[in-house]
Amino acid sequence: MQDAAGTEELALRAAAGDPDALNLLLQRLGPEVMRRCGRFLPCREDAEEAAQDVLLQVARKITGFEGRSRFSTWLYTVVANCSRQKYRELKRRAAEQPDVIDASQHVDPRTTSVIAGSRVDLLEALERLEREHPHLVAPLVYRDICQLEYAEVAERVGIPLGTLKSRLHEARKQVRPWLADAS
């Protein structure tokens, strides 16, 4: 993120109720939030919707940011939650209204993005992990997707560093075969 110290200062000012700081913060965050949402969601339009949800959540809940951890850590939590919520919403909508297959709209698997497919597979694996081992989801999302430092993840999740590493190991062990089966 550009000028991390400036962003942290803006976040603290916005949390204290400064509307100008909030507006500037939201403008500054836009591209980074879009990039982060794109790590979760394969379709650009879906990532854009999730990014808008993130910015809305930041605007609504910035007063809850107390500055005990870095703002970027707080932001990545919002990004992860909004992106995963958007995926659940899309999945639910697709299940409720199955599309009629139109031969002219058929997707050729040879031209479908491998990256997009792997993101969907990852989201499916995260859904399954959440059902079977919910305590393993946050460490995996924060470390492997949001790419936060181990100490930052441990602080965010509220567990000792050793416990975090153990949970990460277990989460990766659980998810690996599901991702292998999907490919």
Side-chain angles (χ1 to χ4, degrees):
M1 215 179 292
Q2 54 180 315
D3 187 17
T7 301
E8 294 291 326
E9 175 62 30
L10 277 175
L12 288 171
R13 286 180 30 218
D18 181 341
D20 294 332
L22 177 60
N23 287 334
L24 188 55
L25 178 67
L26 293 174
Q27 287 175 355
R28 186 178 285 187
L29 293 178
E32 174 72 9
V33 166
M34 179 59 198
R35 189 174 64 77
R36 296 274 175 185
C37 289
R39 285 189 176 169
F40 283 93
L41 299 161
C43 179
R44 181 168 178 79
E45 293 81 11
D46 297 337
E48 287 172 351
E49 284 184 34
Q52 289 300 314
D53 292 345
V54 169
L55 295 175
L56 184 60
Q57 288 298 317
V58 168
R60 286 182 177 162
K61 298 187 177 190
I62 190 69
T63 57
F65 174 65
E66 298 172 352
R68 288 184 295 194
S69 63
R70 292 188 341 205
F71 174 73
S72 59
T73 304
W74 185 84
L75 176 65
Y76 295 154
T77 302
V78 177
V79 167
N81 290 341
C82 287
S83 295
R84 292 178 63 222
Q85 183 59 39
K86 175 57 65 182
Y87 176 70
R88 285 186 200 107
E89 176 186 315
L90 293 167
K91 191 173 164 183
R92 186 176 52 249
R93 208 179 311 148
E96 290 170 357
Q97 301 173 348
D99 291 337
V100 175
I101 297 175
D102 178 0
S104 68
Q105 297 294 322
H106 181 69
V107 176
D108 183 348
R110 294 169 296 178
T111 61
T112 301
S113 166
V114 173
I115 293 170
S118 65
R119 287 185 204 155
V120 171
D121 295 339
L122 178 60
L123 288 165
E124 286 293 329
L126 287 173
E127 290 293 307
R128 184 171 174 186
L129 187 64
E130 190 160 39
R131 283 191 307 272
E132 297 179 16
H133 307 283
H135 66 288
L136 300 178
V137 175
L140 187 68
V141 168
Y142 293 145
R143 178 66 190 137
D144 290 358
I145 299 173
C146 295
Q147 299 177 334
L148 299 179
E149 297 296 323
Y150 285 99
E152 217 174 336
V153 176
E155 177 186 330
R156 187 77 193 149
V157 177
I159 56 176
L161 188 59
T163 304
L164 169 73
K165 289 181 178 182
S166 173
R167 287 186 185 176
L168 261 174
H169 174 74
E170 183 61 27
R172 290 170 179 157
K173 190 170 89 176
Q174 290 292 325
V175 168
R176 192 172 294 120
W178 302 335
L179 294 175
D181 290 346
S183 56

